[in-house]
Amino acid sequence: MSIYDSLNDMQQKAVYQTEGPLLILAGAGSGKTRVLTHRIAYLMEEKGVNPWNIMAITFTNKAAKEMRERVDQLIGYGSESVWVSTFHSTCVRILRRFIDRLGYDNNFTIYDTDDQKTVMKEVCKRLDVDTKIYKEKNLLGQISKAKNEMISAEEFYANSASDFRQRKVAEVYMEYEKRMRANNALDFDDLLLKTVQLLENDEQVLAYYQDRFLYIMVDEYQDTNTVQFKFVSLLARKNRNLCVVGDDDQSIYKFRGANIRNIWDFEKTYEEAVVIKLEQNYRSTQNILDAANSVIAKNTERKEKRLWTENGKGELIDFHHFDNGYEEAEYVAYDISKKVRKGQRRYKDCAILYRTNAQSRMFEERFIAENIPYKIVGGVNFYGRKEIKDILAYLKTIDNGRDDVAVKRIINVPKRGIGLASLSKVQDYADGRGIGFYDALKEAEEVPGLGRATAKITPFVTMIQKYRSKLGLVSLTDLLDEILEETGYVKELELEDTDEARARIENIDELISKLATYVEQEETPTLGEFLEEVALVADIDSLEEDSDYVVLMTLHSAKGLEFPNVYLAGMEDGLFPSFMTITSDDPMEIEEERRLCYVGITRAMEELHMSSARMRMVRGETQYNKISRFVREIPSDLFQHEIEKEKAKPEEKVGSYQVAKQAFRSKPMVGKQFTVTKAEKLSYVEGDKVNHRMFGIGQVLNITEGGRDYEVTVEFEKVGIKKMFASFAKLEKMS
């Protein structure tokens, strides 16, 4: 029996279609990884293609690892030569070899978000940018967006002549790039952008990789942005054997720069393209799929497909409409505990998915109270912890002395008594000489006015130079041990003797284990490659499938995962979809939110629970929201219970809201004080139509006069019922 006989008809068709452009529209849970791996096997075994002539690209390390393992199992000998990698890892491999042609050293450093923020702070300080007006995070966001659209700093500057604010952003972009180059560093956007620039500007390099990769496969194609599309199209331009796999119904990363038109317009870009749909689902029950199909069908722009399965109907969807968020969290905790207690589920079978990170708090509180083990995916990345970043900064400085961010991070870690004034003098000297910060440290004796600080800087430089001289002579694990011993980093934590310090030591131990594993697995381990490997780790890669805990994560983080028992929490208009989406003039905004809901539903394999709350505290404001329109787009016969009809006005009952309201009226406010000027009379009365600057048009349901202010209840057309204080709401009566 052939390995291809286990595939369904459409999967076989996708495997056998090897020549020319191919678009595989793969619905959720339809076995796309299985198709890709069998396609690689078919190319090698049946078509005689060399493994090194095949490239498979995906987005996450987790997906790349899974694909690599499956290819190895299918093919065995020779499979290690197939290039299976993420976009970023692929680009790093190319740049490590050829980036010197763009004027960089090949041992460049990869900056994470924190490193970028450090550079941006220096840029804003140097350019005297008012960070109250131009937020550093927003500046980095605009630069990232420009890079994803392949707009260089020079082009950005040239296009900003008529806009004062954009000209300021352009100046920041120019200085940011200048400092990144001086530090011999690249951010994550650069990895793709510089690779495309290399391929566009160097015909020799482009020809080398076009001849190397005769067959190219791209997973999750709906998530590609402009620069990723350009990268793939350049590599495939000569041979045109490009197979892309994706699902436009799961395109949810517009905020990261993903361009859904890449998959929508594939047949326009490649007119000879073949399109194959994978609609048979192997993950979920038919009831879950029917719910997903009914929701996504409401989108007007999509490539038509409908998921089906042979798994059977399964259980109906469990929906609960609670009074508040506390009851919602209480029920979920109770339901999980009951299922585990009865042996029906393990903790790791359960996942709670929500629209915003803030929603995790109530679940955490309940899980702690109920002693339920849990993990939040998307919290602090292991490599983002202070102690890990400190140790990695030592390694980065040893590997690449031009990395000013790393050098400045550790110059006083542990404390060496080198003051800010001294460091400022070193920086001024470096700027004046046109050299890097570390090179200026090496010339400390020449820095004007440095004085006694020279004696503190010299031992630091000597230590770094000593470790540099040992590269290639001692093992990387021995090198790290020496650094920890000489700096006394761990000893300082031991002297603190606190739970936090002990946790930090455990993290350092984990880093040592990570380095040891890397050294064991690589034939010729290098410090640069190790730093590259840890720089490309994403949050989702920290999800340990063998550990028994409930997973809490946002819907965006859940893509690509599956769980037997899923809870979709906060299914309310105003929260999911968000009120910003509901009030947007762009209909495509609500369509992306609907795709996000589709992704959430299709994470469930056997059980799907959905919940909402009549009343929820958001940013300190009590909100009454309607049940999410996405819930109401699911046919009623798919639910275990009939969904109640919305009430025009919420029932007044004693609860957490009433307690909070009474506290507001009777107790003095603590903490941040607000000056409230109570109006003698409001310009509107109950029943009037009013306008709110954020929520839009609504009708006043109730006005209650308190000692400090008027409390106004309004039912808005787009975001539901809100309770607010008149002084803050600033409602305008509609004529």
Side-chain angles (χ1 to χ4, degrees):
M1 178 178 172
S2 166
I3 61 171
Y4 311 108
D5 292 339
S6 63
L7 304 173
N8 66 42
D9 291 345
M10 298 310 290
Q11 288 176 333
Q12 286 182 358
K13 189 176 179 181
V15 167
Y16 300 151
Q17 181 65 44
T18 59
E19 307 307 305
L22 172 65
L23 169 60
I24 303 175
L25 285 173
S30 61
K32 62 183 177 63
T33 303
R34 184 176 176 81
V35 169
L36 284 174
T37 52
H38 279 72
R39 199 168 186 274
I40 293 171
Y42 185 78
L43 283 169
M44 290 175 59
E45 294 177 345
E46 305 299 328
K47 304 286 288 186
V49 179
N50 293 317
W52 52 85
N53 292 138
I54 302 171
M55 167 189 269
I57 310 176
T58 188
F59 275 81
T60 67
N61 293 319
K62 183 176 183 293
K65 181 183 178 185
E66 181 185 357
M67 195 181 298
R68 161 59 64 199
E69 289 173 349
R70 291 206 202 177
V71 168
D72 290 346
Q73 290 170 3
L74 274 178
I75 302 168
Y77 181 75
S79 65
E80 68 280 356
S81 298
V82 177
W83 191 313
V84 181
S85 182
T86 64
F87 268 102
H88 288 100
S89 294
T90 296
C91 291
V92 168
R93 286 176 70 176
I94 294 172
L95 293 174
R96 287 289 181 208
R97 185 169 183 180
F98 292 111
I99 198 173
D100 56 319
R101 301 191 181 201
L102 294 178
Y104 287 79
D105 289 345
N106 294 84
N107 65 334
F108 58 85
T109 297
I110 302 170
Y111 276 1
D112 63 14
T113 305
D114 287 340
D115 297 329
Q116 287 181 267
K117 288 176 182 175
T118 301
V119 174
M120 184 54 70
K121 284 179 182 177
E122 293 177 352
V123 168
C124 290
K125 184 177 179 182
R126 180 176 181 81
L127 297 181
D128 198 24
V129 173
D130 187 345
T131 52
K132 291 181 181 178
I133 299 174
Y134 300 92
K135 304 288 186 185
E136 293 161 358
K137 183 178 179 181
N138 291 343
L139 290 169
L140 285 169
Q142 290 194 63
I143 291 172
S144 176
K145 185 178 179 181
K147 289 183 177 182
N148 286 334
E149 293 298 322
M150 298 181 60
I151 301 171
S152 68
E154 291 75 19
E155 289 175 285
F156 196 98
Y157 189 85
N159 295 335
S160 65
S162 60
D163 188 321
F164 175 79
R165 287 184 67 90
Q166 285 300 94
R167 175 52 62 98
K168 179 60 71 173
V169 175
E171 291 171 357
V172 169
Y173 189 2
M174 296 276 283
E175 182 63 23
Y176 174 82
E177 289 295 274
K178 180 182 174 183
R179 286 186 173 256
M180 291 291 286
R181 184 175 281 271
N183 290 356
N184 195 39
L186 303 180
D187 59 33
F188 273 77
D189 297 315
D190 284 328
L191 296 178
L192 286 150
L193 181 60
K194 300 299 181 189
T195 305
V196 168
Q197 290 174 349
L198 175 66
L199 297 176
E200 285 184 322
N201 298 326
D202 196 309
E203 285 294 332
Q204 186 180 14
V205 174
L206 176 61
Y208 171 80
Y209 285 108
Q210 285 179 337
D211 291 338
R212 166 77 185 269
F213 302 122
L214 304 181
Y215 293 86
I216 300 171
M217 282 162 270
V218 183
D219 194 10
E220 304 288 6
Y221 190 66
Q222 77 281 347
D223 294 333
T224 55
N225 57 30
T226 300
V227 69
Q228 287 164 336
F229 165 77
K230 187 66 176 178
F231 170 66
V232 170
S233 60
L234 279 167
L235 291 180
R237 189 167 65 192
K238 181 177 180 181
N239 301 294
R240 299 183 75 79
N241 296 324
L242 174 62
C243 166
V244 301
V245 184
D247 181 6
D248 57 321
D249 289 337
Q250 296 186 72
S251 179
I252 59 173
Y253 294 127
K254 181 182 176 183
F255 69 100
R256 291 184 188 169
N259 185 353
I260 195 171
R261 300 231 70 91
N262 288 346
I263 192 166
W264 280 347
D265 296 343
F266 187 80
E267 296 124 291
K268 294 179 183 177
T269 306
Y270 299 94
E271 294 179 357
E272 75 274 34
V274 174
V275 180
I276 296 172
K277 294 181 183 180
L278 303 182
E279 297 172 291
Q280 183 175 357
N281 176 284
Y282 294 90
R283 173 190 299 157
S284 308
T285 63
Q286 191 62 55
N287 282 331
I288 291 171
L289 296 181
D290 286 345
N293 287 330
S294 61
V295 170
I296 202 64
K298 297 293 188 295
N299 274 4
T300 57
E301 280 208 56
R302 60 184 291 260
K303 290 180 179 290
E304 183 63 35
K305 72 184 87 64
R306 186 171 182 83
L307 297 178
W308 62 276
T309 186
E310 295 178 347
N311 291 342
K313 284 284 188 181
E315 295 187 25
L316 294 171
I317 298 166
D318 180 34
F319 176 79
H320 290 275
H321 191 34
F322 298 100
D323 279 341
N324 53 56
Y326 293 102
E327 289 184 6
E328 179 184 50
E330 199 169 51
Y331 169 77
V332 172
Y334 164 78
D335 197 54
I336 291 173
S337 292
K338 180 184 71 173
K339 285 179 167 60
V340 172
R341 190 170 58 251
K342 289 184 175 181
Q344 298 169 340
R345 296 286 180 212
R346 295 164 297 178
Y347 289 118
K348 69 177 182 180
D349 295 333
C350 307
I352 302 170
L353 311 181
Y354 36 76
R355 181 64 181 85
T356 64
N357 279 306
Q359 290 171 255
S360 71
R361 181 182 63 83
M362 288 187 185
F363 292 105
E364 287 189 80
E365 290 175 357
R366 288 311 310 161
F367 285 4
I368 291 170
E370 300 291 336
N371 200 27
I372 297 174
Y374 70 92
K375 178 171 183 176
I376 295 180
V377 175
V380 179
N381 185 301
F382 175 78
Y383 296 105
R385 291 181 168 91
K386 179 186 181 302
E387 60 277 9
I388 302 304
K389 286 187 73 68
D390 286 345
I391 304 305
L392 289 177
Y394 268 101
L395 297 177
K396 287 178 181 180
T397 302
I398 294 165
D399 185 60
N400 171 24
R402 289 171 59 185
D403 185 352
D404 286 0
V405 171
V407 177
K408 289 177 181 177
R409 182 180 184 94
I410 59 170
I411 187 71
N412 266 318
V413 177
K415 291 182 175 62
R416 296 184 174 87
I418 306 169
L420 290 176
S422 298
L423 296 178
S424 180
K425 289 173 183 175
V426 174
Q427 185 63 64
D428 290 342
Y429 177 80
D431 293 341
R433 293 255 288 115
I435 60 177
F437 185 78
Y438 182 72
D439 286 336
L441 290 177
K442 291 196 290 186
E443 299 177 12
E445 293 180 356
E446 306 298 324
V447 177
L450 204 54
R452 287 181 294 179
T454 304
K456 300 172 183 176
I457 291 172
T458 302
F460 170 77
V461 172
T462 302
M463 177 181 65
I464 297 298
Q465 293 299 110
K466 177 183 69 176
Y467 290 134
R468 279 188 176 179
S469 67
K470 290 187 174 185
L471 283 177
L473 301 177
V474 300
S475 72
L476 295 179
T477 49
D478 286 345
L479 183 73
L480 181 53
D481 287 341
E482 284 188 41
I483 292 170
L484 293 173
E485 179 67 29
E486 185 169 349
T487 60
Y489 195 99
V490 174
K491 285 183 180 177
E492 278 197 7
L493 291 173
E494 289 172 344
L495 290 173
E496 283 184 30
D497 195 28
T498 63
D499 289 341
E500 182 182 354
R502 281 188 284 274
R504 288 185 170 185
I505 293 171
E506 288 173 2
N507 288 335
I508 293 172
D509 290 342
E510 182 62 26
L511 179 65
I512 295 170
S513 299
K514 166 67 180 175
L515 179 59
T517 302
Y518 164 77
V519 170
E520 286 176 11
Q521 293 176 344
E522 296 295 324
E523 287 185 19
T524 54
T526 67
L527 180 55
E529 284 187 0
F530 172 72
L531 292 171
E532 170 191 311
E533 186 172 305
V534 300
L536 297 175
V537 173
D539 288 346
I540 196 66
D541 298 320
S542 67
L543 187 58
E544 300 163 13
E545 295 179 356
D546 295 332
S547 300
D548 194 23
Y549 46 62
V550 178
V551 174
L552 285 76
M553 65 173 76
T554 65
L555 286 152
H556 282 101
S557 298
K559 189 163 165 296
L561 302 177
E562 58 184 36
F563 302 91
N565 189 31
V566 168
Y567 299 83
L568 287 185
M571 298 298 294
E572 303 140 32
D573 270 6
L575 187 59
F576 186 37
S578 68
F579 86 87
M580 291 290 287
T581 301
I582 295 171
T583 56
S584 172
D585 294 329
D586 183 0
M588 290 299 102
E589 293 292 328
I590 196 72
E591 297 217 348
E592 173 130 348
E593 286 280 283
R594 190 173 280 111
R595 291 195 291 269
L596 188 58
C597 182
Y598 173 84
V599 166
I601 293 172
T602 54
R603 297 313 93 196
M605 300 167 69
E606 299 166 12
E607 291 183 64
L608 175 62
H609 307 261
M610 304 175 101
S611 58
S612 62
R614 294 180 178 87
M615 178 182 74
R616 194 180 295 273
M617 187 74 76
V618 179
R619 293 181 297 277
E621 180 185 77
T622 300
Q623 295 184 358
Y624 284 91
N625 294 324
K626 296 179 181 179
I627 294 172
S628 172
R629 64 195 62 198
F630 300 148
V631 174
R632 297 198 175 277
E633 288 169 356
I634 299 172
S636 58
D637 60 356
L638 292 177
F639 290 102
Q640 292 180 14
H641 314 286
E642 184 179 351
I643 298 178
E644 64 192 73
K645 293 181 179 179
E646 300 284 3
K647 296 172 182 175
K649 182 177 178 179
E651 292 180 8
E652 286 293 301
K653 58 188 285 186
V654 176
S656 58
Y657 172 72
Q658 293 291 6
V659 172
K661 184 166 70 174
Q662 291 302 325
F664 179 85
R665 289 177 175 173
S666 59
K667 293 182 181 179
M669 293 184 71
V670 217
K672 188 173 182 181
Q673 297 293 316
F674 294 92
T675 302
V676 178
T677 304
K678 180 182 175 183
E680 291 184 11
K681 185 181 179 182
L682 298 177
S683 62
Y684 46 84
V685 296
E686 292 180 8
D688 280 349
K689 289 263 183 163
V690 292
N691 185 54
H692 186 278
R693 62 186 177 83
M694 290 176 67
F695 302 137
I697 298 171
Q699 183 177 21
V700 178
L701 299 180
N702 185 57
I703 299 175
T704 304
E705 184 176 357
R708 297 169 57 86
D709 200 356
Y710 293 95
E711 180 188 77
V712 186
T713 304
V714 182
E715 182 173 18
F716 291 98
E717 293 176 358
K718 292 186 175 180
V719 297
I721 296 172
K722 307 286 182 188
K723 286 195 177 227
M724 56 197 75
F725 293 103
S727 299
F728 294 107
K730 295 182 172 56
L731 298 168
E732 296 179 3
K733 181 179 177 180
M734 304 287 289
S735 55

